[in-house]
Amino acid sequence: MNKRFYITTAIDYVNGEPHLGHAYEKVIADVIARARRSLGEEVFFLTGLDEHGQKVQQAALERGKAPQEYCDGLATLWKSFAVKLNLSNDDFIRTSEPRHKEAVQAILNKLRREGHFYKAQHKGFYSTRQETFLTDKDRLPDGSFDPIYGEVTELVEDDYYFKLKPHQQWLIDYIEANSDFVAPTYRRNEVLGFLKNNVLEDLCITRPAARLSWGISVPFDPSFVTYVWFDALLNYITVPAAWADPATAPILSSSAPSPKRALQLWPADVHLVGKDIIKFHAVYWPILLKALGLPVPKQILVHGWWQKDGEKIAKSTGNIVDPQAVINEWGLDAFRYYVVRELDIGPDGNWTDSGFQSRYDDDLAKGLGNLISRSLTMLKKYRNGIVPKRSDDWASATDKAVSEIEKCLRSYELKSALENVWGLMKRSDQYIEKTAPFKLAKDPSQAALLDEVLYNLAETCRILAILLWPFIPATSGRIYAQLGLPGQPDQFRSAKWGGLAPGHAIGEVGPLFPRKDQTAR
Ligand code: MSP
């Protein structure tokens, strides 16, 4: 059994509809997962929903529904959104599922047995919106709490605490010694700065069941439920446990029936998360794992946040991008392309409708679509769609570009990978301008040169389909079909020059990205 490349996304709060931020994160995780599979690795891609907590309880109550029923309804919607995004996830976790709850309870029991918890009275300010207690450090200069916390109420209650302090120095040392643990580097520095300048407060890991019933019951004290973040972070390990990952055996001695097929997943290779939840992932999570005696994930990869027209995306102000509407109007692959091409994993991005439209028109319709259509239409017209004699003069330059793209994919530089792919396209466009195949076709003495041009172009189309597979898989599949090739272009190793066999008959050629009539919009 081989260890799989294990990639996770944040699990989304199950309230409302998926927005651009959710869609973005899931798409980049999918691109990474598909790229790794294409590069020959076995992959396990996990996404899902974070269902417990006060907000969900309240929302269900307002609708006169039981929380489970409320979540079931929304989960159907979110799962169908994952399908709409063409995510290749291998599992979808809902934190209200028994497999998760049982494993969380086993973990709570183990940590308690081993002395990681204590009970104490807590007095403090609680933000329901963020499901967290706030401290004076969270106050604005005028003494109030930032509106991002929503309504803040003062509470006095007993709770269980998880000891973080004893692990603080270990974590600092670990992050210092493992420069890739948090990426990009400026996020790593932020975490180190936080750890070096603050004494960690122990983490409150319960809520009284009287106040919050919609949560996982604490097995050794049912008057409490688990704090929703504690429950949520554990999804990354309860899923491997449900797949009988041997690495999880020490924590789940009594747990769950083994599935037929055991998978080796832990430690995760990448936890992809947004910048707002870095502390949970880069501070609490590794400490929790250490307490459990488990290895920490290889990397916390932190992405930035999208704005729209330079302003925060917020339902309340109506400044939103509805990914479903964009996909319905422009097609999924246009959406996937735009969010990856526009933004590196790290900095914040800014969505503008005009920017989206220019990328669609210039990069996809006039760029990719036009190149494929011109190349294959000429092959149809001048050679009856039959691939001519192999030409190798583009082989070494193309192979070099392909290995550069492989490097980008492996290091999650997805935007650069796309820029390099478009570099290959530009070369083909310039080549068509320079060699003018439509003129060559009129001169029988140029037949050999025309063969060469047509081969170079068609072979480039084949390679483009493979390179684009992780990003825009449906379009890549259509390019492959137009080339008359069977299966999907999902094997990176086939992106080597010379795969298109002379004598092969290509398929039907059709538009990939229809130009939008601007005036009709
Ligand atoms: N439920 C928690 C995560 C638990 S993970 C163990 C949560 N959920 S969330 O629905 O609020 O956010 C899910 C992800 O979407 C987070 O990684 C968050 O950073 C990301 N985004 C939310 N809004 C975003 C943007 N405007 N732009 C990009 N990503 C954003 O936090």
Side-chain angles (χ1 to χ4, degrees):
M1 183 175 31
N2 293 327
K3 154 98 175 71
R4 292 193 176 206
F5 179 89
Y6 177 30
I7 177 165
T8 68
T9 67
I11 49 173
D12 299 323
Y13 288 129
V14 63
N15 42 28
E17 304 247 330
H19 61 56
L20 172 63
H22 301 127
Y24 168 63
E25 179 178 284
K26 276 57 194 176
V27 166
I28 45 181
D30 186 60
V31 173
I32 296 172
R34 285 177 185 271
R36 290 284 166 153
R37 284 194 204 100
S38 176
L39 286 162
E41 280 179 67
E42 281 194 297
V43 170
F44 192 89
F45 168 22
L46 175 66
T47 187
L49 289 174
D50 187 357
E51 298 192 355
H52 293 124
Q54 200 146 316
K55 244 184 306 181
V56 176
Q57 182 174 304
Q58 266 167 10
L61 210 74
E62 281 159 21
R63 288 162 182 79
K65 287 187 176 173
Q68 186 67 64
E69 184 196 355
Y70 172 71
C71 288
D72 288 348
L74 283 173
T76 309
L77 199 134
W78 283 78
K79 277 187 174 175
S80 68
F81 186 60
V83 173
K84 186 156 191 154
L85 291 175
N86 200 1
L87 301 187
S88 60
N89 54 304
D90 299 278
D91 201 342
F92 189 100
I93 179 73
R94 295 180 55 197
T95 53
S96 65
E97 288 173 67
R99 60 174 177 163
H100 175 72
K101 290 199 272 191
E102 283 158 22
V104 169
Q105 289 183 326
I107 288 168
L108 283 168
N109 275 333
K110 177 179 161 73
L111 289 171
R112 176 165 183 256
R113 257 193 332 264
E114 293 171 6
H116 293 284
F117 298 158
Y118 62 89
K119 197 173 179 183
Q121 191 180 69
H122 188 86
K123 187 168 175 215
F125 292 90
Y126 191 75
S127 150
T128 309
R129 182 181 293 172
Q130 303 272 333
E131 304 282 13
T132 192
F133 276 103
L134 304 175
T135 65
D136 284 337
K137 285 192 208 107
D138 299 308
R139 288 183 191 275
L140 295 172
D142 69 0
S144 67
F145 289 107
D146 194 293
I148 58 162
Y149 294 117
E151 192 191 343
V152 175
T153 36
E154 192 172 15
L155 293 174
V156 183
E157 62 187 36
D158 276 348
D159 272 307
Y160 284 89
Y161 286 82
F162 172 56
K163 298 173 197 166
L164 292 176
K165 279 189 211 85
H167 308 286
Q168 182 158 0
Q169 192 54 46
W170 163 80
L171 185 56
I172 293 172
D173 295 345
Y174 185 83
I175 298 176
E176 300 263 22
N178 294 276
S179 56
D180 288 341
F181 178 59
V182 182
T185 311
Y186 50 90
R187 295 290 175 208
R188 171 177 181 259
N189 294 341
E190 201 179 295
V191 175
L192 276 175
F194 168 77
L195 283 169
K196 287 179 179 172
N197 295 315
N198 294 279
V199 175
L200 282 180
E201 287 180 32
D202 292 337
L203 182 67
C204 177
I205 56 138
T206 57
R207 299 289 179 260
R211 173 159 77 81
L212 174 66
S213 56
W214 182 233
I216 299 178
S217 181
V218 173
F220 49 84
D221 190 344
S223 58
F224 289 93
V225 298
T226 325
Y227 170 41
V228 63
W229 264 103
F230 198 81
D231 154 2
L233 285 166
L234 284 170
N235 92 86
Y236 301 134
I237 192 78
T238 61
V239 171
W243 285 93
D245 181 347
T248 64
I251 53 163
L252 295 168
S253 42
S254 67
S255 196
S258 319
K260 284 179 217 93
R261 207 159 49 104
L263 297 182
Q264 203 176 316
L265 304 176
W266 197 258
D269 292 82
V270 189
H271 288 318
L272 180 67
V273 295
K275 63 177 184 178
D276 56 322
I277 53 177
I278 185 170
K279 190 159 111 186
F280 295 98
H281 285 83
V283 178
Y284 302 152
W285 182 226
I287 292 181
L288 182 49
L289 287 163
K290 177 172 176 272
L292 284 168
L294 288 174
V296 300
K298 292 192 193 140
Q299 187 167 74
I300 313 292
L301 183 56
V302 186
H303 66 76
W305 267 41
W306 282 91
Q307 296 193 322
K308 177 165 190 258
D309 300 326
E311 306 276 342
K312 190 174 174 341
I313 291 180
K315 228 187 193 164
S316 51
T317 58
N319 195 44
I320 55 156
V321 178
D322 175 359
Q324 320 228 34
V326 174
I327 294 166
N328 291 343
E329 183 175 359
W330 297 86
L332 171 66
D333 281 352
F335 177 81
R336 288 178 60 115
Y337 173 75
Y338 177 77
V339 291
V340 182
R341 173 63 184 76
E342 203 59 25
L343 195 57
D344 274 319
I345 300 179
D348 289 340
N350 186 30
W351 178 291
T352 62
D353 290 343
S354 59
F356 179 88
Q357 199 168 317
S358 323
R359 287 248 174 253
Y360 182 92
D361 289 340
D362 299 341
D363 297 6
L364 297 175
K366 285 189 230 153
L368 176 62
N370 207 19
L371 175 65
I372 305 289
S373 143
R374 278 164 99 193
S375 305
L376 302 189
T377 306
M378 289 191 292
L379 184 56
K380 282 263 182 206
K381 201 161 153 196
Y382 306 137
R383 293 293 180 264
N384 274 326
I386 305 296
V387 175
K389 182 170 161 284
R390 173 169 163 170
S391 151
D392 272 338
D393 48 342
W394 277 18
S396 91
T398 309
D399 289 348
K400 208 166 136 221
V402 168
S403 65
E404 187 55 39
I405 291 162
E406 176 177 347
K407 246 192 261 161
C408 294
L409 290 176
R410 287 194 187 279
S411 55
Y412 316 132
E413 290 168 90
L414 308 180
K415 177 173 182 278
S416 306
L418 283 178
E419 283 161 355
N420 279 297
V421 175
W422 257 257
L424 281 175
M425 278 182 219
K426 197 165 164 206
R427 179 184 67 175
S428 293
D429 282 334
Q430 288 168 344
Y431 182 63
I432 296 174
E433 295 314 311
K434 204 177 96 206
T435 57
F438 51 94
K439 283 191 195 147
L440 299 179
K442 290 184 189 139
D443 180 354
S445 72
Q446 299 284 6
L449 179 56
L450 182 59
D451 276 351
E452 194 178 308
V453 171
L454 293 174
Y455 186 90
N456 286 342
L457 292 174
E459 176 60 353
T460 300
C461 292
R462 188 189 69 85
I463 290 174
L464 288 174
I466 299 164
L467 299 177
L468 288 171
W469 167 260
F471 302 92
I472 46 175
T475 304
S476 287
R478 281 162 61 205
I479 299 174
Y480 233 44
Q482 296 191 12
L483 279 160
L485 295 168
Q488 294 293 337
D490 58 1
Q491 296 300 319
F492 200 89
R493 66 182 145 73
S494 324
K496 198 162 171 44
W497 187 267
L500 208 49
H504 167 81
I506 65 166
E508 286 308 306
V509 182
L512 294 171
F513 297 97
R515 292 287 295 280
K516 300 267 178 184
D517 178 7
Q518 312 274 319
T519 50
R521 290 173 45 74

